[in-house]
Amino acid sequence: MSNLTPREIVSELDKYIVGQNAAKRMVAVAMRNRWRRQQLDPALRDEIAPKNIIMMGPTGVGKTEIARRLAKLSASPFIKVEATKFTEVGYVGRDVESMVRDLMEIGIALVRAEENEKVRVKAEARAEERLLDLLLPGGAPQPAPAQGMGGLTFDLSASHSGGQAIPQPPAQADASHASPPTGTGSVPDSRSSTREKLRTLWHGGKLDDREVDMEVEESGGPQVGVLSMPGLEDVGSQVRDMFSKVFPSRRKRRRMKVRDAFNLLTQEEADRLIDHDRVSDLARERVEQTGIIFIDEIDKIASGSTQKSSDVSREGVQRDLLPIVEGSVVNTKYGMVRTDHILFIAAGAFHFSKPSDLIPELQGRFPLRAELSALGKDDFLRILTEPHNALTRQYTALLQTEGVHIEFTGDALREIAAFAEETNAQTENIGARRLYTILEKILADLSFEAPDRSGDRVTVDSDYVREHLADVRANKDLSRYIL
């Protein structure tokens, strides 16, 4: 778990999210409290519950991005779900427990990647030996399944033109007719020498683009699609897992480049080296202790005064969410997962409802509330210039792949920011996402013509911006549909 201080967490979030300091400070403290909890005596540690958060604010102001960046900083299993996907039992929709199962799958993937990295060197060494066995059949025994790949051949001298022919091992027939030498056998010595030459060529990258036939494992059993009805996806997944265990895996022969074969062999060896039971245990512990579930659009399941009869399942979703947020045990294919210490972050615009419209029990499980402010012209200008992944940098990099160099002037960025604020005020306020539509409109012609303008340098100034936005600026109805 990350041991960043709250100040360091806010500093990292500032690299990608402009403003919203109150929300950043709140999530930074929540994340630091998780680290503090891990330092306590186990008896007291289990008594400390996470302080779940509700973030309120219009769309496009950074709610989702704050949660996503927070999860990356902490290397925690993180999943974003839409509250509107779920429903109470008896209505079409997903079971709320599926969010925990999905989070567990993400935790398994995270831990497996870490364990693979730990054994990568050893796995690559084993994969290299198996690759040499493919390139030189009949060499050292390979740690492959019974059906193995010993009978596969590889014509090294007939590959790419222009490359030097690789020395071939002496044929078995020639060895049988040759007079037996005295001392050690010449055939094993020659084979060993050829194997080392192949190893040298492989290390030098001279075999990467050559092709080899190898056998790869494919999923066993029939591809059965069962119980695909909404809400029963998890049952169907369990049945498919059962079929995969009943039917043994099969192997089929494929022709691929040597580099691809090496990567595949490395993955196979890494899977053999890691302890999958340990992976499941570590992932389950990480999910239970550091997992983060981001529930977006929670305001859509709040029954406001004007929505009492519009959807009978709104409060039902809240009632089903309640035990998960309070702390319960969810059955997954990797074992039972407790949700007592998973951090839940909920978000919503709350345009037509308010947090008090949620059922009281669910409100009590989200004790912290942060209100994110709407973005103005100055915020848009900072979004275009300050973040590491600023849109201007993205478009500059994209067009540079075509050899087109673009440069945004300060007055152009101020014009874009002002127009974004104006459009949000006159139409729907979609926050920073408005910048996507405006920049795409400004650069649409240049993006289309870029392959034919390699080497050009284009300066995007305020006149350029006004020229390309003139039609939508003059026609408000057109602006509403295009931007």
Side-chain angles (χ1 to χ4, degrees), residues 453-480:
R453 299 182 58 175
S454 180
D456 284 5
R457 290 187 173 273
V458 179
T459 299
V460 179
D461 54 16
S462 58
D463 293 336
Y464 188 98
V465 172
R466 283 192 288 267
E467 177 186 349
H468 287 79
L469 293 178
D471 53 346
V472 292
R473 188 187 291 271
N475 189 332
K476 297 303 179 184
D477 291 334
L478 183 62
S479 174
R480 182 179 297 275

PDB file of all heavy atoms in Angstrom, residues 453-480:
ATOM      1  N   ARG A 453      -0.117  16.760 -45.522  1.00  0.00           N
ATOM      2  CA  ARG A 453       0.570  17.995 -45.142  1.00  0.00           C
ATOM      3  C   ARG A 453       1.783  17.720 -44.263  1.00  0.00           C
ATOM      4  O   ARG A 453       2.146  18.523 -43.413  1.00  0.00           O
ATOM      5  CB  ARG A 453      -0.408  18.927 -44.405  1.00  0.00           C
ATOM      6  CG  ARG A 453      -1.607  19.342 -45.243  1.00  0.00           C
ATOM      7  CD  ARG A 453      -2.517  20.294 -44.488  1.00  0.00           C
ATOM      8  NE  ARG A 453      -1.814  21.509 -44.064  1.00  0.00           N
ATOM      9  CZ  ARG A 453      -2.430  22.535 -43.470  1.00  0.00           C
ATOM     10  NH1 ARG A 453      -3.748  22.479 -43.240  1.00  0.00           N
ATOM     11  NH2 ARG A 453      -1.748  23.601 -43.106  1.00  0.00           N
ATOM     12  N   SER A 454       2.400  16.587 -44.485  1.00  0.00           N
ATOM     13  CA  SER A 454       3.571  16.233 -43.681  1.00  0.00           C
ATOM     14  C   SER A 454       4.659  17.300 -43.836  1.00  0.00           C
ATOM     15  O   SER A 454       4.969  17.741 -44.946  1.00  0.00           O
ATOM     16  CB  SER A 454       4.118  14.870 -44.115  1.00  0.00           C
ATOM     17  OG  SER A 454       5.247  14.516 -43.354  1.00  0.00           O
ATOM     18  N   GLY A 455       5.202  17.721 -42.711  1.00  0.00           N
ATOM     19  CA  GLY A 455       6.239  18.745 -42.709  1.00  0.00           C
ATOM     20  C   GLY A 455       5.720  20.144 -42.468  1.00  0.00           C
ATOM     21  O   GLY A 455       6.507  21.069 -42.265  1.00  0.00           O
ATOM     22  N   ASP A 456       4.396  20.328 -42.498  1.00  0.00           N
ATOM     23  CA  ASP A 456       3.818  21.661 -42.273  1.00  0.00           C
ATOM     24  C   ASP A 456       3.901  22.046 -40.798  1.00  0.00           C
ATOM     25  O   ASP A 456       3.854  21.193 -39.908  1.00  0.00           O
ATOM     26  CB  ASP A 456       2.353  21.689 -42.704  1.00  0.00           C
ATOM     27  CG  ASP A 456       2.204  21.739 -44.216  1.00  0.00           C
ATOM     28  OD1 ASP A 456       3.246  21.656 -44.901  1.00  0.00           O
ATOM     29  OD2 ASP A 456       1.065  21.843 -44.702  1.00  0.00           O
ATOM     30  N   ARG A 457       3.983  23.340 -40.569  1.00  0.00           N
ATOM     31  CA  ARG A 457       3.904  23.899 -39.216  1.00  0.00           C
ATOM     32  C   ARG A 457       2.683  24.811 -39.167  1.00  0.00           C
ATOM     33  O   ARG A 457       2.566  25.731 -39.963  1.00  0.00           O
ATOM     34  CB  ARG A 457       5.171  24.659 -38.862  1.00  0.00           C
ATOM     35  CG  ARG A 457       6.388  23.763 -38.667  1.00  0.00           C
ATOM     36  CD  ARG A 457       7.599  24.537 -38.145  1.00  0.00           C
ATOM     37  NE  ARG A 457       8.682  23.637 -37.813  1.00  0.00           N
ATOM     38  CZ  ARG A 457       8.827  23.041 -36.642  1.00  0.00           C
ATOM     39  NH1 ARG A 457       7.935  23.275 -35.682  1.00  0.00           N
ATOM     40  NH2 ARG A 457       9.835  22.224 -36.417  1.00  0.00           N
ATOM     41  N   VAL A 458       1.792  24.535 -38.240  1.00  0.00           N
ATOM     42  CA  VAL A 458       0.534  25.261 -38.150  1.00  0.00           C
ATOM     43  C   VAL A 458       0.481  25.955 -36.790  1.00  0.00           C
ATOM     44  O   VAL A 458       0.668  25.317 -35.752  1.00  0.00           O
ATOM     45  CB  VAL A 458      -0.674  24.327 -38.317  1.00  0.00           C
ATOM     46  CG1 VAL A 458      -1.979  25.108 -38.198  1.00  0.00           C
ATOM     47  CG2 VAL A 458      -0.608  23.589 -39.647  1.00  0.00           C
ATOM     48  N   THR A 459       0.216  27.238 -36.820  1.00  0.00           N
ATOM     49  CA  THR A 459       0.051  28.004 -35.581  1.00  0.00           C
ATOM     50  C   THR A 459      -1.435  28.267 -35.372  1.00  0.00           C
ATOM     51  O   THR A 459      -2.101  28.887 -36.210  1.00  0.00           O
ATOM     52  CB  THR A 459       0.807  29.339 -35.651  1.00  0.00           C
ATOM     53  OG1 THR A 459       2.204  29.082 -35.837  1.00  0.00           O
ATOM     54  CG2 THR A 459       0.610  30.131 -34.363  1.00  0.00           C
ATOM     55  N   VAL A 460      -1.963  27.763 -34.248  1.00  0.00           N
ATOM     56  CA  VAL A 460      -3.368  27.958 -33.913  1.00  0.00           C
ATOM     57  C   VAL A 460      -3.456  29.180 -33.005  1.00  0.00           C
ATOM     58  O   VAL A 460      -3.089  29.138 -31.830  1.00  0.00           O
ATOM     59  CB  VAL A 460      -3.954  26.717 -33.211  1.00  0.00           C
ATOM     60  CG1 VAL A 460      -5.421  26.950 -32.839  1.00  0.00           C
ATOM     61  CG2 VAL A 460      -3.818  25.486 -34.101  1.00  0.00           C
ATOM     62  N   ASP A 461      -3.918  30.312 -33.576  1.00  0.00           N
ATOM     63  CA  ASP A 461      -4.063  31.541 -32.800  1.00  0.00           C
ATOM     64  C   ASP A 461      -5.540  31.874 -32.658  1.00  0.00           C
ATOM     65  O   ASP A 461      -6.420  31.106 -33.075  1.00  0.00           O
ATOM     66  CB  ASP A 461      -3.293  32.689 -33.452  1.00  0.00           C
ATOM     67  CG  ASP A 461      -3.675  32.898 -34.912  1.00  0.00           C
ATOM     68  OD1 ASP A 461      -4.744  32.367 -35.320  1.00  0.00           O
ATOM     69  OD2 ASP A 461      -2.921  33.581 -35.643  1.00  0.00           O
ATOM     70  N   SER A 462      -5.840  33.029 -32.083  1.00  0.00           N
ATOM     71  CA  SER A 462      -7.239  33.399 -31.839  1.00  0.00           C
ATOM     72  C   SER A 462      -8.017  33.555 -33.143  1.00  0.00           C
ATOM     73  O   SER A 462      -9.197  33.196 -33.217  1.00  0.00           O
ATOM     74  CB  SER A 462      -7.302  34.691 -31.019  1.00  0.00           C
ATOM     75  OG  SER A 462      -6.618  35.737 -31.690  1.00  0.00           O
ATOM     76  N   ASP A 463      -7.380  34.081 -34.188  1.00  0.00           N
ATOM     77  CA  ASP A 463      -8.065  34.213 -35.478  1.00  0.00           C
ATOM     78  C   ASP A 463      -8.410  32.844 -36.042  1.00  0.00           C
ATOM     79  O   ASP A 463      -9.502  32.653 -36.614  1.00  0.00           O
ATOM     80  CB  ASP A 463      -7.181  34.990 -36.462  1.00  0.00           C
ATOM     81  CG  ASP A 463      -7.000  36.451 -36.056  1.00  0.00           C
ATOM     82  OD1 ASP A 463      -7.881  36.959 -35.335  1.00  0.00           O
ATOM     83  OD2 ASP A 463      -5.970  37.049 -36.448  1.00  0.00           O
ATOM     84  N   TYR A 464      -7.482  31.901 -35.924  1.00  0.00           N
ATOM     85  CA  TYR A 464      -7.723  30.532 -36.402  1.00  0.00           C
ATOM     86  C   TYR A 464      -8.914  29.932 -35.663  1.00  0.00           C
ATOM     87  O   TYR A 464      -9.784  29.282 -36.270  1.00  0.00           O
ATOM     88  CB  TYR A 464      -6.462  29.700 -36.182  1.00  0.00           C
ATOM     89  CG  TYR A 464      -6.487  28.322 -36.805  1.00  0.00           C
ATOM     90  CD1 TYR A 464      -5.878  28.072 -38.026  1.00  0.00           C
ATOM     91  CD2 TYR A 464      -7.115  27.249 -36.164  1.00  0.00           C
ATOM     92  CE1 TYR A 464      -5.882  26.800 -38.590  1.00  0.00           C
ATOM     93  CE2 TYR A 464      -7.138  25.982 -36.720  1.00  0.00           C
ATOM     94  CZ  TYR A 464      -6.519  25.765 -37.937  1.00  0.00           C
ATOM     95  OH  TYR A 464      -6.531  24.511 -38.506  1.00  0.00           O
ATOM     96  N   VAL A 465      -8.971  30.139 -34.348  1.00  0.00           N
ATOM     97  CA  VAL A 465     -10.069  29.587 -33.546  1.00  0.00           C
ATOM     98  C   VAL A 465     -11.392  30.211 -33.953  1.00  0.00           C
ATOM     99  O   VAL A 465     -12.398  29.513 -34.178  1.00  0.00           O
ATOM    100  CB  VAL A 465      -9.789  29.818 -32.045  1.00  0.00           C
ATOM    101  CG1 VAL A 465     -11.010  29.430 -31.210  1.00  0.00           C
ATOM    102  CG2 VAL A 465      -8.565  29.017 -31.600  1.00  0.00           C
ATOM    103  N   ARG A 466     -11.428  31.557 -34.056  1.00  0.00           N
ATOM    104  CA  ARG A 466     -12.679  32.223 -34.414  1.00  0.00           C
ATOM    105  C   ARG A 466     -13.161  31.820 -35.805  1.00  0.00           C
ATOM    106  O   ARG A 466     -14.353  31.678 -36.049  1.00  0.00           O
ATOM    107  CB  ARG A 466     -12.495  33.738 -34.326  1.00  0.00           C
ATOM    108  CG  ARG A 466     -12.513  34.273 -32.895  1.00  0.00           C
ATOM    109  CD  ARG A 466     -12.612  35.788 -32.873  1.00  0.00           C
ATOM    110  NE  ARG A 466     -11.351  36.396 -33.302  1.00  0.00           N
ATOM    111  CZ  ARG A 466     -10.387  36.771 -32.458  1.00  0.00           C
ATOM    112  NH1 ARG A 466     -10.538  36.574 -31.149  1.00  0.00           N
ATOM    113  NH2 ARG A 466      -9.286  37.334 -32.908  1.00  0.00           N
ATOM    114  N   GLU A 467     -12.224  31.639 -36.737  1.00  0.00           N
ATOM    115  CA  GLU A 467     -12.587  31.247 -38.100  1.00  0.00           C
ATOM    116  C   GLU A 467     -13.268  29.876 -38.119  1.00  0.00           C
ATOM    117  O   GLU A 467     -14.254  29.675 -38.838  1.00  0.00           O
ATOM    118  CB  GLU A 467     -11.328  31.226 -38.968  1.00  0.00           C
ATOM    119  CG  GLU A 467     -11.577  30.753 -40.402  1.00  0.00           C
ATOM    120  CD  GLU A 467     -10.276  30.602 -41.189  1.00  0.00           C
ATOM    121  OE1 GLU A 467      -9.218  31.070 -40.688  1.00  0.00           O
ATOM    122  OE2 GLU A 467     -10.319  30.005 -42.285  1.00  0.00           O
ATOM    123  N   HIS A 468     -12.743  28.933 -37.341  1.00  0.00           N
ATOM    124  CA  HIS A 468     -13.290  27.576 -37.370  1.00  0.00           C
ATOM    125  C   HIS A 468     -14.500  27.401 -36.463  1.00  0.00           C
ATOM    126  O   HIS A 468     -15.161  26.351 -36.530  1.00  0.00           O
ATOM    127  CB  HIS A 468     -12.195  26.573 -36.994  1.00  0.00           C
ATOM    128  CG  HIS A 468     -11.173  26.363 -38.063  1.00  0.00           C
ATOM    129  ND1 HIS A 468     -10.147  27.250 -38.302  1.00  0.00           N
ATOM    130  CD2 HIS A 468     -11.024  25.367 -38.988  1.00  0.00           C
ATOM    131  CE1 HIS A 468      -9.406  26.814 -39.308  1.00  0.00           C
ATOM    132  NE2 HIS A 468      -9.922  25.684 -39.756  1.00  0.00           N
ATOM    133  N   LEU A 469     -14.788  28.394 -35.629  1.00  0.00           N
ATOM    134  CA  LEU A 469     -15.981  28.318 -34.789  1.00  0.00           C
ATOM    135  C   LEU A 469     -17.046  29.312 -35.219  1.00  0.00           C
ATOM    136  O   LEU A 469     -18.061  29.463 -34.540  1.00  0.00           O
ATOM    137  CB  LEU A 469     -15.611  28.577 -33.324  1.00  0.00           C
ATOM    138  CG  LEU A 469     -14.733  27.534 -32.631  1.00  0.00           C
ATOM    139  CD1 LEU A 469     -14.424  27.971 -31.206  1.00  0.00           C
ATOM    140  CD2 LEU A 469     -15.400  26.164 -32.625  1.00  0.00           C
ATOM    141  N   ALA A 470     -16.819  30.001 -36.337  1.00  0.00           N
ATOM    142  CA  ALA A 470     -17.729  31.069 -36.755  1.00  0.00           C
ATOM    143  C   ALA A 470     -19.140  30.548 -36.989  1.00  0.00           C
ATOM    144  O   ALA A 470     -20.127  31.187 -36.595  1.00  0.00           O
ATOM    145  CB  ALA A 470     -17.191  31.742 -38.023  1.00  0.00           C
ATOM    146  N   ASP A 471     -19.276  29.391 -37.631  1.00  0.00           N
ATOM    147  CA  ASP A 471     -20.612  28.908 -37.971  1.00  0.00           C
ATOM    148  C   ASP A 471     -21.409  28.530 -36.726  1.00  0.00           C
ATOM    149  O   ASP A 471     -22.590  28.873 -36.603  1.00  0.00           O
ATOM    150  CB  ASP A 471     -20.525  27.721 -38.937  1.00  0.00           C
ATOM    151  CG  ASP A 471     -19.616  26.623 -38.421  1.00  0.00           C
ATOM    152  OD1 ASP A 471     -18.852  26.889 -37.470  1.00  0.00           O
ATOM    153  OD2 ASP A 471     -19.660  25.508 -38.963  1.00  0.00           O
ATOM    154  N   VAL A 472     -20.795  27.836 -35.787  1.00  0.00           N
ATOM    155  CA  VAL A 472     -21.543  27.436 -34.594  1.00  0.00           C
ATOM    156  C   VAL A 472     -21.736  28.614 -33.644  1.00  0.00           C
ATOM    157  O   VAL A 472     -22.704  28.646 -32.873  1.00  0.00           O
ATOM    158  CB  VAL A 472     -20.826  26.284 -33.864  1.00  0.00           C
ATOM    159  CG1 VAL A 472     -20.869  25.019 -34.687  1.00  0.00           C
ATOM    160  CG2 VAL A 472     -19.399  26.643 -33.521  1.00  0.00           C
ATOM    161  N   ARG A 473     -20.839  29.586 -33.673  1.00  0.00           N
ATOM    162  CA  ARG A 473     -21.007  30.760 -32.815  1.00  0.00           C
ATOM    163  C   ARG A 473     -22.195  31.616 -33.302  1.00  0.00           C
ATOM    164  O   ARG A 473     -22.941  32.171 -32.502  1.00  0.00           O
ATOM    165  CB  ARG A 473     -19.731  31.596 -32.800  1.00  0.00           C
ATOM    166  CG  ARG A 473     -19.762  32.743 -31.782  1.00  0.00           C
ATOM    167  CD  ARG A 473     -18.541  33.630 -31.956  1.00  0.00           C
ATOM    168  NE  ARG A 473     -17.326  32.981 -31.577  1.00  0.00           N
ATOM    169  CZ  ARG A 473     -16.824  33.002 -30.333  1.00  0.00           C
ATOM    170  NH1 ARG A 473     -17.469  33.640 -29.370  1.00  0.00           N
ATOM    171  NH2 ARG A 473     -15.688  32.399 -30.072  1.00  0.00           N
ATOM    172  N   ALA A 474     -22.360  31.689 -34.625  1.00  0.00           N
ATOM    173  CA  ALA A 474     -23.428  32.518 -35.186  1.00  0.00           C
ATOM    174  C   ALA A 474     -24.787  31.852 -35.054  1.00  0.00           C
ATOM    175  O   ALA A 474     -25.807  32.526 -34.920  1.00  0.00           O
ATOM    176  CB  ALA A 474     -23.135  32.828 -36.651  1.00  0.00           C
ATOM    177  N   ASN A 475     -24.839  30.553 -35.111  1.00  0.00           N
ATOM    178  CA  ASN A 475     -26.108  29.825 -35.089  1.00  0.00           C
ATOM    179  C   ASN A 475     -26.196  29.032 -33.789  1.00  0.00           C
ATOM    180  O   ASN A 475     -25.558  28.006 -33.622  1.00  0.00           O
ATOM    181  CB  ASN A 475     -26.187  28.888 -36.297  1.00  0.00           C
ATOM    182  CG  ASN A 475     -27.571  28.280 -36.452  1.00  0.00           C
ATOM    183  OD1 ASN A 475     -28.310  28.110 -35.494  1.00  0.00           O
ATOM    184  ND2 ASN A 475     -27.922  27.951 -37.695  1.00  0.00           N
ATOM    185  N   LYS A 476     -27.002  29.510 -32.839  1.00  0.00           N
ATOM    186  CA  LYS A 476     -27.093  28.865 -31.549  1.00  0.00           C
ATOM    187  C   LYS A 476     -27.709  27.469 -31.643  1.00  0.00           C
ATOM    188  O   LYS A 476     -27.341  26.567 -30.899  1.00  0.00           O
ATOM    189  CB  LYS A 476     -27.925  29.721 -30.584  1.00  0.00           C
ATOM    190  CG  LYS A 476     -27.303  31.079 -30.293  1.00  0.00           C
ATOM    191  CD  LYS A 476     -25.888  30.945 -29.725  1.00  0.00           C
ATOM    192  CE  LYS A 476     -25.250  32.288 -29.452  1.00  0.00           C
ATOM    193  NZ  LYS A 476     -23.841  32.159 -28.993  1.00  0.00           N
ATOM    194  N   ASP A 477     -28.652  27.293 -32.565  1.00  0.00           N
ATOM    195  CA  ASP A 477     -29.241  25.961 -32.720  1.00  0.00           C
ATOM    196  C   ASP A 477     -28.202  24.980 -33.230  1.00  0.00           C
ATOM    197  O   ASP A 477     -28.135  23.835 -32.791  1.00  0.00           O
ATOM    198  CB  ASP A 477     -30.425  26.016 -33.688  1.00  0.00           C
ATOM    199  CG  ASP A 477     -31.613  26.767 -33.102  1.00  0.00           C
ATOM    200  OD1 ASP A 477     -31.705  26.783 -31.843  1.00  0.00           O
ATOM    201  OD2 ASP A 477     -32.414  27.315 -33.859  1.00  0.00           O
ATOM    202  N   LEU A 478     -27.376  25.438 -34.180  1.00  0.00           N
ATOM    203  CA  LEU A 478     -26.304  24.572 -34.688  1.00  0.00           C
ATOM    204  C   LEU A 478     -25.295  24.285 -33.578  1.00  0.00           C
ATOM    205  O   LEU A 478     -24.799  23.157 -33.453  1.00  0.00           O
ATOM    206  CB  LEU A 478     -25.603  25.274 -35.866  1.00  0.00           C
ATOM    207  CG  LEU A 478     -24.510  24.467 -36.562  1.00  0.00           C
ATOM    208  CD1 LEU A 478     -25.075  23.201 -37.182  1.00  0.00           C
ATOM    209  CD2 LEU A 478     -23.829  25.324 -37.630  1.00  0.00           C
ATOM    210  N   SER A 479     -25.024  25.271 -32.761  1.00  0.00           N
ATOM    211  CA  SER A 479     -24.097  25.083 -31.649  1.00  0.00           C
ATOM    212  C   SER A 479     -24.595  24.011 -30.687  1.00  0.00           C
ATOM    213  O   SER A 479     -23.827  23.198 -30.196  1.00  0.00           O
ATOM    214  CB  SER A 479     -23.891  26.409 -30.905  1.00  0.00           C
ATOM    215  OG  SER A 479     -23.110  26.223 -29.742  1.00  0.00           O
ATOM    216  N   ARG A 480     -25.893  24.015 -30.462  1.00  0.00           N
ATOM    217  CA  ARG A 480     -26.457  23.031 -29.533  1.00  0.00           C
ATOM    218  C   ARG A 480     -26.273  21.604 -30.042  1.00  0.00           C
ATOM    219  O   ARG A 480     -26.019  20.674 -29.254  1.00  0.00           O
ATOM    220  CB  ARG A 480     -27.954  23.316 -29.339  1.00  0.00           C
ATOM    221  CG  ARG A 480     -28.654  22.384 -28.363  1.00  0.00           C
ATOM    222  CD  ARG A 480     -30.112  22.771 -28.223  1.00  0.00           C
ATOM    223  NE  ARG A 480     -30.264  24.102 -27.672  1.00  0.00           N
ATOM    224  CZ  ARG A 480     -30.257  24.365 -26.366  1.00  0.00           C
ATOM    225  NH1 ARG A 480     -30.119  23.380 -25.496  1.00  0.00           N
ATOM    226  NH2 ARG A 480     -30.397  25.590 -25.935  1.00  0.00           N
TER     227      ARG A 480
END
